[in-house]
Amino acid sequence: MSSLIVLLGPTGVGKTELSIQIAHKFNSPIISSDSRQIYKDLVIGTAAPTAEELSLVQHYFIGTLNIEDYYSASQYEEDVLKLLQELHQKHDSILMTGGSMMYIDAVCKGIDEIPTIDAVLRKEIFDLYEKEGLEPIQQQLKLLDPVFYNQVDLKNYKRVIHALEVCRMTGKPYSSLRTNTIKERPFKIIKIGLKREREELYERINHRVDQMMENGLLNEAKKLYPHRSLNSLNTVGYKELFQYFDGTWTLDFAVEKIKQNSRIYSRKQMTWFKRDKDIHWFHPEEKNKIFRFIKSNL
């Protein structure tokens, strides 16, 4: 039976380097499950694989979209399953790696059939959010879907906005379309999680942000600043520097906020991943253990 090896973990843990080694060891291309590395102009701030790393192994879903393009976890599910069908004809095992929780779950478990949102409606709701904040959107959601309103983290604007988009688009409560049924896949899934001690991970995150700044993150963000309202740019590393360009924050403060928000995001990722009992956890330096585990489960 063909297999999908899933290498996941929090931001900064060390997935990229190990993914290339696993890909070489098991003769596999790499499918990225990073919802921001998929955009071609977000390179430094997303720690996308370098040109050299990309030349070592065939990668998919890296730098394939423009920042204006709408893309969702359900589209990702559809695109990856189609690609896997083709790749499994040549490769017994395929490696998927990244830290975007929804993208990983979309491929491994499937997500509910939520319709694509009309661009005009999406803009209308986002414009309302930008002008009046989250409260009027929360109130509309409460009216249209009180069940989901009482379940959702009301401060998580992405989830609140998305739920309202679906309610308005379909005329049905968002909660009624969420079945959370796990779909069967025609391949074996082997999940490997990478983890480090919190202090070690935080130190790596802080160092990586400093490295990004040295590599030109400020200039990259400056080019993207005119497009700051796009959803693709509501991302740690860019939104903080936009505050600096606005004159709201000093550069030093913005950089510290990137580090802080990256650390917060890493905690959210680990909280999400820990719910999944199918993940087998390793320290990134336990390479031989990881190789043996994969080999024994193929």
Side-chain angles (χ1 to χ4, degrees):
M1 188 180 190
S2 53
S3 301
L4 177 67
I5 304 162
V6 182
L7 182 70
L8 54 84
T11 186
V13 77
K15 296 183 292 291
T16 301
E17 182 185 348
L18 184 57
S19 70
I20 290 169
Q21 294 172 349
I22 292 172
H24 278 155
K25 185 87 173 170
F26 295 96
N27 186 32
S28 168
I30 295 175
I31 294 174
S32 168
S33 55
D34 188 299
S35 66
R36 287 301 178 261
Q37 290 181 2
I38 199 168
Y39 293 101
K40 65 179 67 168
D41 295 315
L42 312 188
V43 180
I44 300 170
T46 63
T50 63
E52 183 185 353
E53 288 167 335
L54 290 171
S55 71
L56 296 172
V57 180
Q58 174 68 58
H59 284 71
Y60 296 91
F61 299 95
I62 296 279
T64 55
L65 296 179
N66 295 314
I67 53 172
E68 300 88 359
D69 293 336
Y70 171 71
Y71 201 67
S72 66
S74 59
Q75 285 173 282
Y76 180 76
E77 175 189 10
E78 186 180 332
D79 291 343
V80 171
L81 290 179
K82 186 178 175 186
L83 177 63
L84 283 172
Q85 212 171 8
E86 296 169 14
L87 293 178
H88 273 142
Q89 291 175 17
K90 299 177 186 174
H91 305 271
D92 291 333
S93 54
I94 308 295
L95 176 63
M96 183 172 82
T97 186
S100 295
M101 299 85 82
M102 286 291 290
Y103 276 29
I104 293 166
D105 278 0
V107 173
C108 296
K109 300 177 181 179
I111 57 176
D112 297 321
E113 299 294 334
I114 302 295
T116 301
I117 307 301
D118 177 75
V120 175
L121 175 61
R122 168 165 276 116
K123 186 174 185 309
E124 178 195 326
I125 293 174
F126 195 77
D127 285 350
L128 175 64
Y129 166 67
E130 287 210 308
K131 287 174 189 169
E132 300 184 35
L134 199 50
E135 190 177 350
I137 292 170
Q138 292 168 339
Q139 292 310 311
Q140 284 190 50
L141 180 62
K142 186 177 184 180
L143 188 67
L144 297 175
D145 190 352
V147 172
F148 190 71
Y149 176 87
N150 288 319
Q151 293 172 345
V152 72
D153 172 5
L154 290 169
K155 293 179 183 174
N156 187 330
Y157 78 94
K158 283 186 183 178
R159 297 198 70 193
V160 172
I161 288 174
H162 179 61
L164 180 60
E165 287 174 344
V166 174
C167 291
R168 294 269 303 275
M169 186 79 189
T170 63
K172 298 175 183 176
Y174 178 55
S175 56
S176 71
L177 300 171
R178 300 169 77 233
T179 62
N180 295 322
T181 305
I182 295 177
K183 298 176 185 174
E184 286 193 23
R185 299 306 191 201
F187 46 81
K188 186 177 184 181
I189 298 172
I190 303 164
K191 289 183 182 176
I192 295 159
L194 300 183
K195 65 177 180 178
R196 296 178 185 265
E197 291 298 327
R198 183 171 284 191
E199 294 75 18
E200 183 188 13
L201 179 64
Y202 286 2
E203 194 177 315
R204 283 176 60 89
I205 287 171
N206 293 341
H207 175 71
R208 186 165 80 160
V209 173
D210 290 334
Q211 196 68 53
M212 286 175 176
M213 292 302 293
E214 285 181 28
N215 292 345
L217 178 57
L218 189 66
N219 285 334
E220 183 174 86
K222 202 168 197 173
K223 290 175 188 170
L224 297 166
Y225 181 59
H227 312 284
R228 61 174 302 178
S229 63
L230 292 172
N231 184 52
S232 59
L233 293 174
N234 183 37
T235 303
V236 175
Y238 300 101
K239 61 183 181 180
E240 295 85 358
L241 291 176
F242 295 160
Q243 296 268 37
Y244 163 64
F245 299 140
D246 283 342
T248 310
W249 292 347
T250 65
L251 181 57
D252 285 347
F253 186 77
V255 171
E256 284 307 309
K257 290 299 281 185
I258 296 173
K259 293 176 181 178
Q260 181 187 13
N261 289 335
S262 297
R263 296 192 298 266
I264 290 169
Y265 181 56
S266 74
R267 291 201 297 272
K268 286 181 179 175
Q269 289 172 298
M270 285 306 293
T271 299
W272 181 289
F273 291 140
K274 281 177 180 174
R275 297 179 193 141
D276 189 339
K277 302 307 177 190
D278 293 332
I279 299 173
H280 299 265
W281 293 97
F282 299 88
H283 190 282
E285 289 173 13
E286 295 181 300
K287 292 174 192 172
N288 290 330
K289 268 191 185 178
I290 293 168
F291 293 156
R292 283 199 298 271
F293 176 78
I294 294 170
K295 193 173 181 181
S296 66
N297 282 277
L298 288 176

